[in-house]
Amino acid sequence: MAISSPPVPTFSASFCCTRTEFPSTFNRIPSIFSRAHRARPHPLTRRLALSARLNSSKSSDAGGSVSPDNGDLQYELFHGFSPQRCRRGSPVFVTLPVHSVGSLGAVRRPKAMVQSFKALAVAGVEGVVMEVWWGLVERDRPMLYNWEGYLEIVSLARRCGLKVRAVLAFHQCGAGPEDSHWIPLPLWVLEEIDKDPDLVYSDRFGRRNVEYLSLGCDMLPVLRGRSPLQAYADFMRNFRDTFRPFLGVVITGIQVGMGPAGELRYPSCPTQKLTWAWRSRELGEFQCYDKYMLASLNACAREIGMPEWGNGGPFGAANLMQDPELTEFFRSDDGSWNTSYGTFFLEWYSGMLVLHGERICREAETIFRGTEASTSVKLAGMHWHYRTKSHPSELTAGYYNTSTRDGYLPIARMLAKYGFTLCCSGFDLQDEEERKMNPVSSPEGLLRQLLSAARLCDIPLEGETSAASLDNESLQQVVRMSKYYSYGLEKPSFSFNFVRMDKNMFEFHNWVHFTRFVRQMSDANAFRAKLEVDAMPDTRRSPTSLSDVTKFGMASAYC
């Protein structure tokens, strides 16, 4: 039962700090989060004061009431951020709700956001992940950017002692206007797509996917005189200039979008379908039928003297839902994926994807060089057919990974070349559960391969959950898979993003599981949080307990 059930206490919150308050202007100032300060102990602590007037005398059935008292209580939270915490453990970040910033560019429900940020800080969370949507920031006209809501979120995070990871999202969110989380590409980009539908991916049936612009036109001036790559670079450059006072201090990480759902992949399966129960049956469709992709394929085929190979994708790839063993291309023993033609096509198809990633990495590395903010790229976890020989769902997504070829090592090497971190999801998934739906699925096997590639190329790793799973078994699976990457490394560089914050997180049992998980990941010995209650001016103070933090978190639920 959720603690936030009626009647709900109302809060009058004020924030104070033992250090000098930050000015409203965005000047760069020394911070306990700067790299220079992390290198040595810092004696200062931040002091958070919260006044709460409780309107209810009823306690929760869940056993975690905020207080039965009907008076004014003064809660003072002393949260000391140990400079060793990040180095000794694995910091945890929490992804914000998709709709944190509304369509007009303002923060939605700012008071609830404040309370939620305070709860996360008390729980020991390192920071938040903020998705910065191209379709909101550059919504109406080219190079007209509105960063207002995102500036407000970053400023709030700084005041609450949280770091920020910014995800530069160059893709669509949601399935359509009827979706409550609908965020399309910029309106002016959609106008150009209407004029030239080949700007987006297409499959062999002519179905177009507007989640992300086709990488076939990366370098062509199809967006009112600019190429998509130039549009992405201009966006990143303006982000850097606008948020420069925060970069490396509050904004410590920047994930650069590379495709649908921000992942470096083709939209072989619509993103919304990846959350459906029967997703495990999806083979995917090759996305190479827009005129720009076909032109590249045709040129490559002619170059090797096989022009007949350049007219489209593979024959016999069947449809999205068919058994791969019944298809001419994907079947294990004599499928054409393992022929000269299959090798040619898959090398071209995956090579185009890696080239797209490298182009954007090169631009981002140049733009953010010297800011002290890390950069990362996210890969998809297409594990539905990992235990087959041909791995069809990976091949259609652009990962040339089969039983005889490692398709992720080339991507990891590319990321290492430009100093990028690898981000991958699925840390909460277990083979035992997934195989109940599909016996050839193996999320653990795929994840171990990705982690091995990161270790081999010596690149940092960001983990993510595939869903907002707050049951204890899912969270313990995250801990186990995290250790797989870090085991034996002298200086493992691993952090974790929990996807995502919602009202369920702050329910009693979920919040208990989550705070325990944060302590496990962040190193409980280094985590310090004190909760002091001033019922009277000279009241005695006692240190915080897990239940105290839990009560505060539930009372601050972002619903």
Side-chain angles (χ1 to χ4, degrees):
M1 178 178 176
I3 292 301
S4 53
S5 300
V8 181
T10 58
F11 288 87
S12 171
S14 61
F15 186 88
C16 62
C17 188
T18 54
R19 301 181 56 161
T20 304
E21 283 294 315
F22 296 114
S24 58
T25 56
F26 303 130
N27 296 322
R28 189 182 184 112
I29 58 175
S31 167
I32 57 175
F33 299 119
S34 67
R35 293 187 176 183
H37 283 254
R38 285 203 304 265
R40 61 182 185 274
H42 200 296
L44 299 180
T45 58
R46 291 175 178 249
R47 179 176 175 179
L48 181 68
L50 176 67
S51 299
R53 178 177 295 277
L54 306 177
N55 296 327
S56 173
S57 60
K58 297 181 180 180
S59 61
S60 168
D61 293 338
S65 62
V66 179
S67 173
D69 197 302
N70 195 26
D72 286 335
L73 297 180
Q74 188 77 11
Y75 288 84
E76 293 188 355
L77 300 161
F78 291 84
H79 194 158
F81 292 91
S82 168
Q84 283 78 29
R85 184 178 66 169
C86 296
R87 293 202 295 263
R88 294 174 59 185
S90 299
V92 175
F93 289 73
V94 174
T95 304
L96 298 180
V98 170
H99 56 279
S100 296
V101 174
S103 59
L104 298 180
V107 174
R108 297 181 70 252
R109 306 196 63 201
K111 292 182 179 179
M113 185 75 77
V114 170
Q115 298 297 341
S116 298
F117 274 34
K118 291 176 180 178
L120 294 177
V122 172
V125 167
E126 188 81 1
V128 295
V129 180
M130 174 184 74
E131 291 159 321
V132 182
W133 296 96
W134 187 27
L136 294 182
V137 175
E138 198 178 354
R139 177 176 181 267
D140 297 312
R141 291 190 302 176
M143 304 187 75
L144 180 64
Y145 306 100
N146 177 12
W147 305 103
E148 178 185 352
Y150 299 109
L151 281 166
E152 188 175 344
I153 289 176
V154 174
S155 297
L156 172 61
R158 180 179 65 177
R159 293 197 303 272
C160 292
L162 295 173
K163 298 177 184 178
V164 173
R165 281 180 174 164
V167 177
L168 306 185
F170 297 113
H171 61 281
Q172 167 190 293
C173 178
E178 69 284 352
D179 193 322
S180 60
H181 294 156
W182 171 243
I183 303 175
L185 298 180
L187 300 181
W188 61 273
V189 173
L190 295 179
E191 292 174 2
E192 298 306 310
I193 294 173
D194 287 340
K195 298 175 187 176
D196 182 4
D198 285 293
L199 294 181
V200 296
Y201 292 108
S202 177
D203 64 17
R204 62 197 172 101
F205 299 108
R207 294 176 297 199
R208 301 193 181 275
N209 188 302
V210 294
E211 291 184 69
Y212 187 77
L213 293 176
S214 170
L215 60 82
C217 59
D218 266 354
M219 307 293 287
L220 302 176
V222 294
L223 297 179
R224 301 188 183 181
R226 291 188 299 166
S227 69
L229 189 63
Q230 288 174 321
Y232 303 149
D234 288 339
F235 186 93
M236 290 189 284
R237 198 172 291 110
N238 197 271
F239 174 86
R240 178 203 62 193
D241 295 343
T242 303
F243 290 87
R244 189 182 294 275
F246 301 102
L247 292 176
V249 181
V250 180
I251 301 176
T252 56
I254 300 168
Q255 186 181 118
V256 184
M258 298 272 178
E263 300 163 335
L264 181 60
R265 65 173 174 89
Y266 293 102
S268 55
C269 179
T271 298
Q272 66 270 19
K273 285 189 176 183
L274 298 181
T275 60
W276 296 357
W278 46 267
R279 67 187 183 278
S280 59
R281 298 166 57 194
E282 293 277 0
L283 301 181
E285 286 286 352
F286 290 107
Q287 304 291 309
C288 59
Y289 290 87
D290 65 79
K291 66 183 180 183
Y292 303 107
M293 292 292 284
L294 284 175
S296 173
L297 176 60
N298 187 265
C300 288
R302 290 182 179 278
E303 187 176 336
I304 64 169
M306 301 295 290
E308 65 272 20
W309 288 358
N311 296 323
F315 292 106
N319 58 46
L320 287 170
M321 303 296 290
Q322 190 167 346
D323 183 342
E325 295 305 320
L326 300 179
T327 69
E328 180 181 338
F329 188 78
F330 294 122
R331 62 192 181 208
S332 298
D333 294 331
D334 58 348
S336 54
W337 65 273
N338 203 22
T339 64
S340 297
Y341 164 72
T343 300
F344 160 77
F345 175 80
L346 293 172
E347 285 184 347
W348 168 80
Y349 191 66
S350 63
M352 288 287 284
L353 185 68
V354 175
L355 179 60
H356 173 67
E358 183 158 10
R359 285 169 174 164
I360 298 181
C361 282
R362 186 186 303 119
E363 291 288 341
E365 191 278 330
T366 300
I367 291 169
F368 294 113
R369 185 184 302 160
T371 63
E372 298 188 9
S374 65
T375 46
S376 66
V377 169
K378 184 178 180 181
L379 300 188
M382 312 297 287
H383 55 78
W384 332 133
H385 302 94
Y386 188 79
R387 289 166 58 84
T388 67
K389 289 185 178 179
S390 62
H391 296 217
S393 50
E394 292 169 78
L395 296 185
T396 55
Y399 304 130
Y400 189 3
N401 189 59
T402 67
S403 59
T404 59
R405 187 182 191 277
D406 189 334
Y408 298 105
L409 196 54
I411 298 176
R413 287 172 178 157
M414 181 266 290
L415 298 180
K417 177 180 176 181
Y418 293 99
F420 271 64
T421 296
L422 170 63
C423 177
C424 48
S425 63
F427 275 71
D428 54 322
L429 299 180
Q430 302 177 58
D431 282 2
E432 182 179 356
E433 292 299 317
E434 289 294 321
R435 287 176 188 170
K436 292 177 181 177
M437 296 186 291
N438 182 6
V440 296
S441 175
S442 180
E444 293 182 43
L446 174 56
L447 185 55
R448 281 193 293 268
Q449 184 178 351
L450 288 169
L451 303 190
S452 296
R455 285 173 60 107
L456 186 61
C457 295
D458 193 26
I459 56 178
L461 189 74
E462 290 178 17
E464 280 192 2
T465 50
S466 60
S469 303
L470 284 157
D471 61 282
N472 192 58
E473 185 56 36
S474 294
L475 295 177
Q476 291 310 303
Q477 177 69 6
V478 171
V479 175
R480 286 191 291 269
M481 295 307 295
S482 303
K483 291 179 179 178
Y484 180 89
Y485 169 79
S486 302
Y487 181 77
L489 291 181
E490 183 179 351
K491 294 182 178 180
S493 179
F494 178 78
S495 57
F496 193 77
N497 303 329
F498 181 85
V499 183
R500 68 182 66 238
M501 183 176 82
D502 60 15
K503 63 181 180 181
N504 294 324
M505 171 183 283
F506 298 99
E507 292 182 358
F508 178 76
H509 294 294
N510 291 337
W511 188 249
V512 170
H513 291 160
F514 179 71
T515 52
R516 183 184 298 119
F517 164 73
V518 172
R519 287 169 180 257
Q520 284 182 290
M521 295 290 287
S522 302
D523 187 352
N525 292 328
F527 172 76
R528 297 288 182 268
K530 292 184 179 180
L531 177 65
E532 301 193 33
V533 181
D534 290 335
M536 293 185 294
D538 297 324
T539 186
R540 297 187 63 181
R541 297 173 176 177
S542 59
T544 186
S545 66
L546 177 60
S547 61
D548 291 327
V549 177
T550 301
K551 294 171 188 176
F552 179 75
M554 291 182 299
S556 307
Y558 184 88
C559 302

